[in-house]
mmCIF file of all heavy atoms in Angstrom:
data_model
loop_
_atom_site.group_PDB
_atom_site.id
_atom_site.type_symbol
_atom_site.label_atom_id
_atom_site.label_comp_id
_atom_site.label_asym_id
_atom_site.label_seq_id
_atom_site.Cartn_x
_atom_site.Cartn_y
_atom_site.Cartn_z
ATOM 1 N N HIS A 350 -37.042 -19.924 24.430
ATOM 2 C CA HIS A 350 -36.458 -19.534 23.135
ATOM 3 C C HIS A 350 -37.515 -18.799 22.328
ATOM 4 O O HIS A 350 -38.706 -19.104 22.405
ATOM 5 C CB HIS A 350 -36.003 -20.791 22.377
ATOM 6 C CG HIS A 350 -35.570 -20.535 20.958
ATOM 7 N ND1 HIS A 350 -36.427 -20.688 19.885
ATOM 8 C CD2 HIS A 350 -34.375 -20.140 20.437
ATOM 9 C CE1 HIS A 350 -35.776 -20.407 18.767
ATOM 10 N NE2 HIS A 350 -34.536 -20.072 19.066
ATOM 11 N N SER A 351 -37.079 -17.814 21.562
ATOM 12 C CA SER A 351 -37.987 -17.150 20.623
ATOM 13 C C SER A 351 -37.196 -16.653 19.430
ATOM 14 O O SER A 351 -36.172 -15.982 19.596
ATOM 15 C CB SER A 351 -38.711 -15.986 21.289
ATOM 16 O OG SER A 351 -39.608 -15.375 20.368
ATOM 17 N N MET A 352 -37.679 -16.984 18.227
ATOM 18 C CA MET A 352 -37.010 -16.559 16.996
ATOM 19 C C MET A 352 -37.973 -15.713 16.173
ATOM 20 O O MET A 352 -39.072 -16.169 15.836
ATOM 21 C CB MET A 352 -36.556 -17.770 16.190
ATOM 22 C CG MET A 352 -35.786 -17.415 14.929
ATOM 23 S SD MET A 352 -35.153 -18.883 14.075
ATOM 24 C CE MET A 352 -34.112 -18.128 12.830
ATOM 25 N N HIS A 353 -37.569 -14.486 15.853
ATOM 26 C CA HIS A 353 -38.305 -13.561 14.998
ATOM 27 C C HIS A 353 -39.559 -12.972 15.647
ATOM 28 O O HIS A 353 -39.927 -11.830 15.363
ATOM 29 C CB HIS A 353 -38.696 -14.211 13.657
ATOM 30 C CG HIS A 353 -37.527 -14.542 12.781
ATOM 31 N ND1 HIS A 353 -36.597 -13.613 12.417
ATOM 32 C CD2 HIS A 353 -37.147 -15.722 12.194
ATOM 33 C CE1 HIS A 353 -35.687 -14.177 11.634
ATOM 34 N NE2 HIS A 353 -35.982 -15.460 11.495
ATOM 35 N N VAL A 354 -40.261 -13.714 16.507
ATOM 36 C CA VAL A 354 -41.571 -13.271 16.984
ATOM 37 C C VAL A 354 -41.459 -12.053 17.898
ATOM 38 O O VAL A 354 -42.177 -11.060 17.726
ATOM 39 C CB VAL A 354 -42.310 -14.420 17.704
ATOM 40 C CG1 VAL A 354 -43.610 -13.911 18.332
ATOM 41 C CG2 VAL A 354 -42.607 -15.531 16.717
ATOM 42 N N LEU A 355 -40.573 -12.123 18.883
ATOM 43 C CA LEU A 355 -40.369 -10.973 19.762
ATOM 44 C C LEU A 355 -39.454 -9.991 19.040
ATOM 45 O O LEU A 355 -38.241 -10.194 18.963
ATOM 46 C CB LEU A 355 -39.751 -11.415 21.087
ATOM 47 C CG LEU A 355 -40.600 -12.359 21.937
ATOM 48 C CD1 LEU A 355 -39.863 -12.720 23.211
ATOM 49 C CD2 LEU A 355 -41.952 -11.722 22.261
ATOM 50 N N SER A 356 -40.046 -8.914 18.512
ATOM 51 C CA SER A 356 -39.296 -7.926 17.743
ATOM 52 C C SER A 356 -39.955 -6.559 17.900
ATOM 53 O O SER A 356 -40.904 -6.401 18.674
ATOM 54 C CB SER A 356 -39.217 -8.330 16.269
ATOM 55 O OG SER A 356 -38.375 -9.457 16.089
ATOM 56 N N ASN A 357 -39.491 -5.601 17.102
ATOM 57 C CA ASN A 357 -39.945 -4.221 17.277
ATOM 58 C C ASN A 357 -41.354 -3.967 16.768
ATOM 59 O O ASN A 357 -41.848 -2.845 16.880
ATOM 60 C CB ASN A 357 -38.966 -3.248 16.622
ATOM 61 C CG ASN A 357 -39.036 -3.285 15.103
ATOM 62 O OD1 ASN A 357 -39.548 -4.241 14.512
ATOM 63 N ND2 ASN A 357 -38.517 -2.249 14.458
ATOM 64 N N TRP A 358 -42.016 -4.972 16.209
ATOM 65 C CA TRP A 358 -43.422 -4.785 15.809
ATOM 66 C C TRP A 358 -44.336 -4.737 17.033
ATOM 67 O O TRP A 358 -45.467 -4.251 16.950
ATOM 68 C CB TRP A 358 -43.866 -5.904 14.866
ATOM 69 C CG TRP A 358 -44.022 -7.252 15.517
ATOM 70 C CD1 TRP A 358 -43.060 -8.200 15.691
ATOM 71 C CD2 TRP A 358 -45.216 -7.801 16.093
ATOM 72 N NE1 TRP A 358 -43.575 -9.296 16.346
ATOM 73 C CE2 TRP A 358 -44.898 -9.076 16.600
ATOM 74 C CE3 TRP A 358 -46.522 -7.326 16.232
ATOM 75 C CZ2 TRP A 358 -45.834 -9.886 17.231
ATOM 76 C CZ3 TRP A 358 -47.460 -8.137 16.871
ATOM 77 C CH2 TRP A 358 -47.114 -9.400 17.349
ATOM 78 N N ILE A 359 -43.857 -5.200 18.184
ATOM 79 C CA ILE A 359 -44.638 -5.191 19.419
ATOM 80 C C ILE A 359 -44.436 -3.845 20.121
ATOM 81 O O ILE A 359 -43.303 -3.385 20.251
ATOM 82 C CB ILE A 359 -44.203 -6.338 20.348
ATOM 83 C CG1 ILE A 359 -44.377 -7.686 19.639
ATOM 84 C CG2 ILE A 359 -44.983 -6.308 21.652
ATOM 85 C CD1 ILE A 359 -43.853 -8.862 20.442
ATOM 86 N N PRO A 360 -45.498 -3.175 20.570
ATOM 87 C CA PRO A 360 -45.331 -1.921 21.319
ATOM 88 C C PRO A 360 -44.366 -2.100 22.486
ATOM 89 O O PRO A 360 -44.364 -3.139 23.152
ATOM 90 C CB PRO A 360 -46.746 -1.599 21.800
ATOM 91 C CG PRO A 360 -47.653 -2.286 20.819
ATOM 92 C CD PRO A 360 -46.929 -3.531 20.409
ATOM 93 N N ASP A 361 -43.552 -1.085 22.743
ATOM 94 C CA ASP A 361 -42.488 -1.197 23.742
ATOM 95 C C ASP A 361 -42.999 -1.651 25.103
ATOM 96 O O ASP A 361 -42.395 -2.513 25.755
ATOM 97 C CB ASP A 361 -41.762 0.150 23.891
ATOM 98 C CG ASP A 361 -40.976 0.531 22.643
ATOM 99 O OD1 ASP A 361 -40.792 -0.341 21.767
ATOM 100 O OD2 ASP A 361 -40.569 1.705 22.529
ATOM 101 N N VAL A 362 -44.114 -1.072 25.542
ATOM 102 C CA VAL A 362 -44.632 -1.418 26.875
ATOM 103 C C VAL A 362 -45.042 -2.887 26.918
ATOM 104 O O VAL A 362 -44.722 -3.603 27.878
ATOM 105 C CB VAL A 362 -45.824 -0.511 27.240
ATOM 106 C CG1 VAL A 362 -46.482 -0.987 28.528
ATOM 107 C CG2 VAL A 362 -45.377 0.938 27.389
ATOM 108 N N MET A 363 -45.728 -3.351 25.879
ATOM 109 C CA MET A 363 -46.165 -4.754 25.853
ATOM 110 C C MET A 363 -44.964 -5.691 25.752
ATOM 111 O O MET A 363 -44.964 -6.781 26.345
ATOM 112 C CB MET A 363 -47.124 -4.990 24.691
ATOM 113 C CG MET A 363 -48.449 -4.272 24.827
ATOM 114 S SD MET A 363 -49.662 -4.802 23.603
ATOM 115 C CE MET A 363 -50.011 -6.485 24.130
ATOM 116 N N LEU A 364 -43.944 -5.303 25.008
ATOM 117 C CA LEU A 364 -42.743 -6.134 24.904
ATOM 118 C C LEU A 364 -42.054 -6.252 26.257
ATOM 119 O O LEU A 364 -41.623 -7.345 26.653
ATOM 120 C CB LEU A 364 -41.789 -5.535 23.870
ATOM 121 C CG LEU A 364 -40.462 -6.278 23.685
ATOM 122 C CD1 LEU A 364 -40.710 -7.699 23.177
ATOM 123 C CD2 LEU A 364 -39.544 -5.520 22.726
ATOM 124 N N GLU A 365 -41.983 -5.147 26.989
ATOM 125 C CA GLU A 365 -41.337 -5.205 28.299
ATOM 126 C C GLU A 365 -42.119 -6.095 29.263
ATOM 127 O O GLU A 365 -41.531 -6.866 30.031
ATOM 128 C CB GLU A 365 -41.169 -3.799 28.877
ATOM 129 C CG GLU A 365 -40.345 -3.771 30.148
ATOM 130 C CD GLU A 365 -39.829 -2.386 30.501
ATOM 131 O OE1 GLU A 365 -39.789 -1.506 29.615
ATOM 132 O OE2 GLU A 365 -39.443 -2.200 31.666
ATOM 133 N N PHE A 366 -43.448 -6.011 29.210
ATOM 134 C CA PHE A 366 -44.256 -6.932 30.020
ATOM 135 C C PHE A 366 -43.955 -8.379 29.647
ATOM 136 O O PHE A 366 -43.816 -9.248 30.519
ATOM 137 C CB PHE A 366 -45.753 -6.646 29.828
ATOM 138 C CG PHE A 366 -46.316 -5.627 30.777
ATOM 139 C CD1 PHE A 366 -46.569 -4.336 30.355
ATOM 140 C CD2 PHE A 366 -46.599 -5.957 32.087
ATOM 141 C CE1 PHE A 366 -47.085 -3.380 31.217
ATOM 142 C CE2 PHE A 366 -47.129 -5.021 32.967
ATOM 143 C CZ PHE A 366 -47.369 -3.728 32.530
ATOM 144 N N ALA A 367 -43.871 -8.669 28.339
ATOM 145 C CA ALA A 367 -43.608 -10.035 27.881
ATOM 146 C C ALA A 367 -42.250 -10.527 28.368
ATOM 147 O O ALA A 367 -42.105 -11.686 28.798
ATOM 148 C CB ALA A 367 -43.675 -10.095 26.352
ATOM 149 N N LEU A 368 -41.241 -9.659 28.329
ATOM 150 C CA LEU A 368 -39.904 -10.055 28.771
ATOM 151 C C LEU A 368 -39.870 -10.296 30.280
ATOM 152 O O LEU A 368 -39.188 -11.214 30.759
ATOM 153 C CB LEU A 368 -38.894 -8.985 28.373
ATOM 154 C CG LEU A 368 -38.679 -8.816 26.862
ATOM 155 C CD1 LEU A 368 -37.788 -7.609 26.582
ATOM 156 C CD2 LEU A 368 -38.074 -10.067 26.240
ATOM 157 N N PHE A 369 -40.613 -9.496 31.039
ATOM 158 C CA PHE A 369 -40.688 -9.729 32.482
ATOM 159 C C PHE A 369 -41.383 -11.056 32.788
ATOM 160 O O PHE A 369 -41.036 -11.746 33.758
ATOM 161 C CB PHE A 369 -41.410 -8.577 33.179
ATOM 162 C CG PHE A 369 -40.491 -7.507 33.702
ATOM 163 C CD1 PHE A 369 -40.362 -6.299 33.040
ATOM 164 C CD2 PHE A 369 -39.742 -7.715 34.851
ATOM 165 C CE1 PHE A 369 -39.509 -5.308 33.511
ATOM 166 C CE2 PHE A 369 -38.889 -6.734 35.340
ATOM 167 C CZ PHE A 369 -38.760 -5.528 34.669
#
Side-chain angles (χ1 to χ4, degrees):
H350 172 265
S351 181
M352 183 175 189
H353 294 305
V354 174
L355 297 180
S356 290
N357 72 342
W358 71 272
I359 301 175
D361 293 347
V362 172
M363 293 190 69
L364 178 62
E365 188 163 341
F366 271 103
L368 294 173
F369 266 104

